[in-house]
Amino acid sequence: MSEITTLVDALIGPIVAALLTMMVLSYLIGDNPLFRIASHLFVGVAAGYAGALAVRSVLWPGLIQPVLQAGIGGLMNPAAVLTLLVPAFLAFLLVLKVVPGASRLGTFSTAFLVGVGAAVVVGGAITGTLIPQSLAAMDTLNPAVASPQTGEIGLERVVNVIIVLVGTISTLAYFRFTLRRRPAGEARPAGPISLLGKGLSALGRSFIALAFGVMYAGAMSATLLILTQRIQFLWDTLTGLLPGP
Amino acid sequence: MADLRCPMCSKPNPEGAEECAFCGARLKPVLAGSPPPPADQGLPPMPDWLSRLRAPEDEPPAPEQPSATEGEGDWLARLRSTDPQWSSSEWGQEAAAPSAAAASSAPEEPARPSARAEEGPDWLTRLREASSEETGPPEGEVPSWLAEAGPPAPTAAPAPAVPDSGGNVPDWLTRVRAKREEEAGDEQAEADAADVLLPDVFNLEKTGWHSGLTGLLVEPAGEHPPDSLPTAAPSAPVWLEPEGPGDEPPLRTGELPGMLAGKPSDAKRESGPPAAEPPRPTGRLAEGKPARTTDRLAPPAPGSEQAKPPARSTGRLSRLAAAAKQPPAPPPAAVPPATPPEAEPPARSTGRLARLADAAAESAAPPPTPPFGFGGLEEETGLSSLIPAAEEPPSQPTRPPVVLPTTTETEKPADAEAGKSDWLKELERPTPEPQAPLPHAPALVLQEGESADFDLGSVDVPDWLTDAGAMPSEAAIASDARPDLAPATLPTWLEAMRPVGTFRSVVEILPEDEQAVESAGPLAGLRGVLMAEPIVALPRITGVGSTRLSISERQVTQADLLQKLVQDELRELPTVARGRARLPLLRWAIGGLLLLAVALPILLRLSVFALPTVEPIELGHLVDLVAGLPADRAVLLVFDYEPANAGELEVVVGPLLEDLMSKGYALATVSTRPTGPPLAERLVRQRGAAYDYQNGEDYVHLGYLSGGVPAIQLFAADPRAAVLSGFAASVDSNGGLAAGWNSPLLEGVQSLSDFGTVAVITAGTETARAWIEQASPWLAGRPLVMVLSAGVEPMIRPYYEALTPQVNGLLSGEPAAVAYELRNGKAGPAVARWNPFSLGILVVEILLACGGVYGIGAWLVQALRPRPKAKRP
């Protein structure tokens, strides 16, 4: 068994992987069947693996095995009812979603999932992002205070804080359309407040652009690193298959 | 049983009937002096005027009905006597016989009428006297003047009047006929001048109607005192006028025309026409004059008066027309002022009635009474003025308006026709030719020569009609001011609804003569048609200008744009010729460059770029953090990335793993993705081989955490409840599967804070944020490390650089990995990929620069190029 594993890990695996890599990289030429085969193969394998893993790692240890171990008598336990029967019933209803005539029955399970997920996400967003980040944006401008992570202190930190503050305000201002129009459709001439708003909006647009640029740079860096790793893999595979001198 | 003929509709009715079953007319005319009908018969109560006519003394007893009838019908008998046709008819002969018998009792009766004369009007008294002298025609028998309405019968020359044919002709009829003969010539001339078309039905001459009534109000000279006769009111109907002077004796008091002489004649009719009772010849027949047969239904004999074309009516209508042309006669002084004042002098009747009137005026001033004894109704209603002054109609025997076949007077019922009734026989007899045109009322149908215009000024119009005609016109009414009436005021809302300025509020109605005649359409030829122009037919421009819309330039522009869009939809675009597929050369070029840049250093083992010497700031903190982790606590590694990101993240997390492994920290892996545990196994096994890390002893895989974000929160709160089984379990030394929570490495781990640190390895922003938001509250001060992809790091850095950071360690990117590997003192994949990575970044930077330059240049060129003028639509 270990020999097979070693063979797979040392020979078959790399060859298949190399071929699949080449097939995916063939998209550089254009859409071709090799690329499609590779992509379909990947989707299928991933779905199959996920399904198998879900059954092995979730359903079996979480639902089937406890029920079998508890037995009928054990299922009468209120704790078993809540932890086994109710989830089983909800899972069964969720499976009915694939049945055209009974798909409406799975709506309850879907609604339960969506409701719980939304509540968790919203609660976490508020307590984990909105409040802390808002507080973080209102950082002290005391130059004596040093940044704990970056170690910035003094003017550098103050400038950084100001930049962050201005960037935050201007970004939020960018998404606020304050320009009003007359009933006839004509735009109202800009006033001093509207000019300030226009300035902040433009500044916020700049910060947004910088953020997108940084994100793009990071994505590009990551992609290049991935490409490098693939090329390296291919070369290593190729050189491993080739008889070395 | 013989049927009774209705005098009105000529339909047979059962004998004994009082009223006609078809038209409701009385079958038995009420005679003056006749007893009233029994009350049990259900008849309506007798009006007063009729009761005045009928004095209680005039009501003969039932057995004496014939005698009473004879007395009351004397006036009719006189009328009929003047009609030779009547005398010659069977009915007349039959009536003449009883009349002769009744003549003996006539002297007795006058006493009664004379006595009664003082009670009622003189004319009525005279009527009664006259009626008491003579008897009427036999009941049930049709007089000869009715015979003309019967089946055609051969007309025969009027037989010479039999002076005393059995003494059956009443005297009154004889007198009437005599007068008729005298007036025949005068009426004929008048009839010619009248030129009134009348059908034979209305031709009283032919029907003999007038002949039966001519003696109604005429008092024969010497026979009756003038004062006893009813004054011939100038307003008496013309058809009641005598046909000539001295034509027929007037009706005696109490004597009514045959149609109204109900009881006597009805009694006779009810008893059936006596077959053997010849009609009493009166009038003409009594005088020996030939009876005139007037057969309205029979074709007139050639040469006879009936043969004349019915081009004119000779009678009342002619007299009316003639009277209209004549100046009105002076009204008699005896006319009572009961009638309302008339606007125009009424027409005067000339003839018998006029003579009667004159005689009455000279003697006395009896109130004018209608010929039928209607009392003063005629004057009251003004009907007397309707009678124009016309010449006396020709003397003809008056006949009731019954259409019956006529027979000649010479014909007598044969033995073979003994079964026939006398009146029927009378009908079959040819009616004698009228010697003079019968008076008749002017017909409604115009005859030749007559014009539609009728001078109403010559007609005596009753006062109540003249008052109506004298009403002021509408214009006069409108023009007259009425101060007592306030002008109508419209409410405001109604006034507001009033259209102003859109059409004419008042339509001027022109006189009919001035109105235009419609020349087209279905109303062509009509006058007074509402003009369609210019209101309806022709278009018009409203006076009030319509409100204009205020359109802005923006609206105009939008409208033009919309119009252009619509036009573009309709416009056919030329088909673009499918050209050759263009090769993605640019893509190939860029791709080739990048591959070359990455491959060359690998293939050629180029080391062009120096390793970075500047470490990221966050690397030092991370290294310090890792160094300060408790050694007895496992480190939780969360592998939340896809296999596609493994090439980067494995390079970046590699140094961290080696650092942890080098320090001997136990590792626990978990993943919220199905592909996470295999990746974790592969990486830890690969990197742990150098540190001899074994599954189940040095690291354990908790497995797959299903549920997404809620599962993260559940895992943070109760890790053992969230993850039930491990992954890639290995067999421990005892032979059991050391997987998941069964591993001794996780002994004592009940919550997330029991881990030394939590390192989340992810390439997604949302996954990182979810772990930060859900796990941070449960870490209880334990550090949270984020190993992120280069593209995610900017989004998570705020969590790291906050004053109260939620992320305690941050590792991201190739430079950080290289630096970490250099800090660890062991060159790993990160260092090996530095040159390709750097060369690739360099190529990308060059390409970006070139692209930027190209973009700026293109923008400048486009800005400097003159813009073409926009074509106006």
Side-chain angles (χ1 to χ4, degrees), chain A residues 231-232 234-236 238-239, chain B residues 595-606 836:
Chain A
I231 298 299
Q232 184 69 49
L234 291 175
W235 178 251
D236 294 339
L238 184 62
T239 56
Chain B
L595 285 175
L596 192 61
V598 171
L600 285 178
I602 296 175
L603 298 176
L604 303 178
R605 299 179 181 277
L606 297 176

Side-chain angles (χ1 to χ4, degrees), chain B residues 151 153-154 405-408 411 417 420 424-430:
Chain B
T406 57
T407 57
T408 56
E411 295 180 359
E417 299 180 351
K420 290 186 179 179
L424 184 59
K425 296 177 183 176
E426 184 66 23
L427 289 175
E428 294 175 355
R429 294 176 185 175

Side-chain angles (χ1 to χ4, degrees), chain A residues 3 15 22 39 41 47 51 54 61 63 92 123-124 146 158 166 186 199 210 213 217 226 232 234 237 239:
Chain A
E3 296 177 356
I15 295 173
M22 295 299 295
S39 61
L41 189 62
L63 185 63
F92 175 74
V158 173
V166 172
E186 298 177 355
L210 290 174
I226 294 171
Q232 184 69 49
L234 291 175
T237 302
T239 56

Side-chain angles (χ1 to χ4, degrees), chain A residues 2-244:
Chain A
S2 60
E3 296 177 356
I4 296 175
T5 304
T6 306
L7 181 64
V8 170
D9 292 340
L11 183 65
I12 299 174
I15 295 173
V16 173
L19 291 175
L20 291 175
T21 301
M22 295 299 295
M23 294 167 65
V24 174
L25 292 176
S26 66
Y27 191 78
L28 182 64
I29 302 173
D31 193 8
N32 57 80
L34 295 179
F35 172 80
R36 293 186 178 182
I37 291 173
S39 61
H40 284 78
L41 189 62
F42 167 76
V43 173
V45 171
Y49 179 79
L53 188 63
V55 173
R56 187 174 180 276
S57 301
V58 179
L59 292 180
W60 177 258
L63 185 63
I64 300 175
Q65 190 176 11
V67 172
L68 295 178
Q69 291 179 355
I72 297 177
L75 293 176
M76 296 299 106
N77 189 5
V81 173
L82 291 175
T83 58
L84 296 178
L85 296 183
V86 174
F89 180 72
L90 293 176
F92 175 74
L93 294 179
L94 193 60
V95 173
L96 294 179
K97 290 288 284 184
V98 300
V99 181
S103 60
R104 297 181 59 183
L105 298 177
T107 307
F108 179 76
S109 301
T110 306
F112 183 78
L113 290 174
V114 172
V116 173
V120 173
V121 170
V122 170
I126 294 175
T127 58
T129 301
L130 181 62
I131 297 175
Q133 293 299 317
S134 300
L135 295 175
M138 296 178 289
D139 203 351
T140 178
L141 295 176
N142 187 5
V145 177
S147 176
Q149 300 295 338
T150 59
E152 297 172 347
I153 192 169
L155 183 61
E156 180 182 3
R157 180 183 166 281
V158 173
V159 172
N160 290 338
V161 170
I162 293 174
I163 291 173
V164 170
L165 182 62
V166 172
T168 302
I169 294 175
S170 62
T171 302
L172 294 176
Y174 172 77
F175 294 101
R176 171 60 178 170
F177 298 95
T178 57
L179 184 62
R180 296 180 181 179
R181 292 184 180 275
R182 292 178 177 176
E186 298 177 355
R188 194 173 64 181
I193 297 178
S194 62
L195 290 176
L196 180 61
K198 287 185 177 179
L200 286 177
S201 176
L203 186 60
R205 186 165 49 188
S206 303
F207 277 96
I208 293 172
L210 290 174
F212 286 159
V214 172
M215 293 171 63
Y216 178 75
M220 180 62 69
S221 172
T223 304
L224 282 176
L225 190 58
I226 294 171
L227 180 61
T228 303
Q229 191 275 332
R230 285 291 96 193
I231 298 299
Q232 184 69 49
F233 169 79
L234 291 175
W235 178 251
D236 294 339
T237 302
L238 184 62
T239 56
L241 293 175
L242 293 176

